[in-house]
Amino acid sequence: MNSAAEDFDRWIRNDFVALNTRLEEAYFAAGTQILHGRPELETVKRRIGREGAELVLRAAEGGSTPSPRPTPSVRPILSTPLLPSMPTGDDERYELLGLVGFYLAACRRHEIDGPQSAAWPLAQLLASSLGVAPRFVFAHQALYNRAVGDTFRTFTSLADERAFILYNGLSVLAYQRTATALRRIAALGVSSPLTAYLLREARSGLDDVLDLGRTLGKTLDVDRFFLNIRPYFKPHRVGGTQYRGVNAGDFAAINSIDVLLGLCSPYDPFYQALLTEKYPYTPPEDQALLRATATAEPLLDAFLRETAAGPLTPQLRDNTELFLTVCRLHGAASAFHHHRLVVPFLQEPAARVPQDQEPEAADLTTSGPPLHVVMGTLARLVDLRTARRRPGADGGARTALDQLRHALDAAPDTHLKPAPTST
Ligand code: HEM
């Protein structure tokens, strides 16, 4: 980072946090998502807008001496010498985009309009060089967020925000561990003893996802989440385009797991639309992993083929049982997300918002559609991942999973014997 970008980073980690926290405490005390017309709070909002815009412009110019810019305005890319100071490393540019994105998301959250447009050209240039959306996404908060003195970047100093980012980020790492293990199985075959190791690794990753979700559900305060954390994830405009908000699902591993297990198919138009929509909101390396789902052979198909070909050898039996456990855990984690996180932390508090304060649909969901539509999409994903039969739906992988279970039950018990222990 150039020295101006470092100044911007320092501001994001210090003054920006203090200013946002001051506003959040006032909103929380009033039991509302935002307050307007209170002079002392309007001064704080103006400071965020003005100071952030000045620092972004300096970062775009590559650390030149600060010049007074009382009223920053939109500057066309070509008139600004952005390129000479542009970091050449992808990771560095992605991190800088995250910094700019933090500022833009806070402006949207506090409904600060005007100065933030000064940050659009830099956001757009960084994003187009990386092939991603020109806004802050979940990966900037969870996975591309360098800690300094034990502290990663947050919008506020609220303990609930830290917990939300921490447990979400750890859950993504656990999903990534599972996906990495599952991706390696194709090269080994489903009856390999090494595959048993990888399936145990996948199982352990999903156990962690469930544990972390439970901890998050117990730690996070519903009102704090609803009033002070969620509002930073809203959709907003960059240049002439409205970009959808942030969600913790914007990473490829969850989809690699869906498709590799055989619970969801990239050829299902419903699922394909979800994959296509999320590309620009994932980090560049995740986009390649999302593309790879189109050609991956589902492990469910490989297990069905080999168990049907027979005989059901001890290793194949053990691996099949482990595989079915991994499928069950993936469904359980998805059901937990829906019933124990989305419902209590979003759907229920949204239903309590008084009619006259009803926020726009786009204020409640990150993807834009009304909440009931997003809930319907999430419920359908839970059905696919749990392979649940519902009236009017085809039950996804249920028939194939039952067939695999039946192949195990019908064959003689050929479990691997535990290795003898020396006495
Ligand atoms: C309080 C906690 C959470 C709430 C309220 C929540 C809420 C939501 C909502 C509303 C969506 C749909 C976004 C939209 O389209 O508007 C979503 C998507 C998603 N969330 Fe969460 N979430 C929470 C925690 C987590 C955690 C810990 C994870 C684990 C990594 C996670 C993973 C996902 C995934 C993967 C998606 C994309 C849809 C899917 O593939 O299932 N979420 N979440």
Side-chain angles (χ1 to χ4, degrees), residues 42-59:
E42 295 308 315
T43 306
V44 175
K45 291 180 197 172
R46 274 195 300 277
R47 261 192 76 187
I48 295 176
R50 189 187 62 245
E51 291 178 15
E54 285 171 6
L55 286 157
V56 171
L57 285 172
R58 280 185 54 212

Side-chain angles (χ1 to χ4, degrees), residues 42-383:
E42 295 308 315
T43 306
V44 175
K45 291 180 197 172
R46 274 195 300 277
R47 261 192 76 187
I48 295 176
R50 189 187 62 245
E51 291 178 15
E54 285 171 6
L55 286 157
V56 171
L57 285 172
R58 280 185 54 212
E61 287 165 359
S64 56
T65 315
S67 50
R69 288 183 202 283
T71 48
S73 58
V74 189
R75 312 174 94 213
I77 288 177
L78 289 178
S79 73
T80 311
L82 289 174
L83 275 174
S85 65
M86 193 57 49
T88 48
D90 283 3
D91 283 356
E92 218 183 325
R93 271 178 291 132
Y94 199 64
E95 188 180 356
L96 184 55
L97 175 61
L99 281 182
V100 179
F102 265 69
Y103 166 65
L104 288 175
C107 288
R108 169 65 186 93
R109 188 270 173 271
H110 302 299
E111 299 176 14
I112 300 165
D113 213 7
Q116 88 285 3
S117 58
W120 290 346
L122 181 58
Q124 282 169 319
L125 188 66
L126 288 165
S128 60
S129 79
L130 291 157
V132 299
R135 59 155 297 146
F136 143 82
V137 297
F138 182 70
H140 290 118
Q141 207 162 18
L143 304 176
Y144 290 82
N145 192 343
R146 249 177 332 108
V148 172
D150 296 0
T151 308
F152 51 78
R153 297 180 195 99
T154 47
F155 288 98
T156 69
S157 54
L158 299 174
D160 287 275
E161 189 194 343
R162 184 180 182 280
F164 179 71
I165 303 309
L166 177 64
Y167 295 115
N168 265 255
L170 289 171
S171 305
V172 175
L173 292 180
Y175 269 129
Q176 289 180 335
R177 187 152 70 88
T178 299
T180 303
L182 294 177
R183 283 189 202 105
R184 302 193 68 169
I185 294 177
L188 292 163
V190 293
S191 66
S192 167
L194 278 74
T195 292
Y197 178 87
L198 292 171
L199 287 168
R200 281 196 293 272
E201 175 75 355
R203 181 181 64 187
S204 150
L206 292 173
D207 278 337
D208 281 1
V209 171
L210 271 160
D211 282 350
L212 290 159
R214 286 188 198 103
T215 309
L216 177 63
K218 276 189 265 175
T219 313
L220 195 62
D221 179 83
V222 172
D223 291 336
R224 277 289 184 194
F225 176 74
F226 195 76
L227 296 177
N228 298 139
I229 299 169
R230 180 197 56 84
Y232 289 94
F233 301 159
K234 290 179 180 188
H236 63 72
R237 208 154 60 85
V238 179
T241 310
Q242 174 87 355
Y243 291 89
R244 72 126 158 105
V246 167
N247 84 53
D250 290 332
F251 61 99
I254 182 97
N255 305 102
S256 300
I257 299 169
D258 288 341
V259 173
L260 285 168
L261 292 180
L263 299 173
C264 301
S265 166
Y267 299 99
D268 165 5
F270 161 76
Y271 193 76
Q272 197 173 58
L274 296 184
L275 289 180
T276 311
E277 191 278 338
K278 87 188 312 194
Y279 273 95
Y281 299 95
T282 61
E285 73 274 14
D286 276 39
Q287 296 182 9
L289 296 171
L290 282 176
R291 275 194 292 277
T293 57
T295 48
E297 190 203 8
L299 294 171
L300 179 54
D301 292 2
F303 273 107
L304 278 173
R305 196 174 50 244
E306 296 215 13
T307 50
L312 192 63
T313 54
Q315 189 70 62
L316 180 58
R317 170 185 278 280
D318 274 20
N319 288 359
T320 308
E321 298 226 348
L322 269 169
F323 171 75
L324 289 171
T325 303
V326 171
C327 290
R328 184 180 53 72
L329 284 172
H330 188 50
S334 176
F336 186 92
H337 173 263
H338 192 81
H339 299 291
R340 299 302 170 95
L341 295 177
V342 183
V343 170
F345 286 94
L346 187 63
Q347 192 182 33
E348 289 175 357
R352 292 195 291 268
V353 175
Q355 286 288 312
D356 59 334
Q357 286 178 31
E358 188 76 40
E360 296 163 31
D363 279 355
L364 277 175
T365 67
T366 62
S367 54
L371 185 57
H372 73 272
V373 174
V374 169
M375 293 305 289
T377 302
L378 291 175
R380 186 148 175 210
L381 281 168
V382 176
D383 285 347

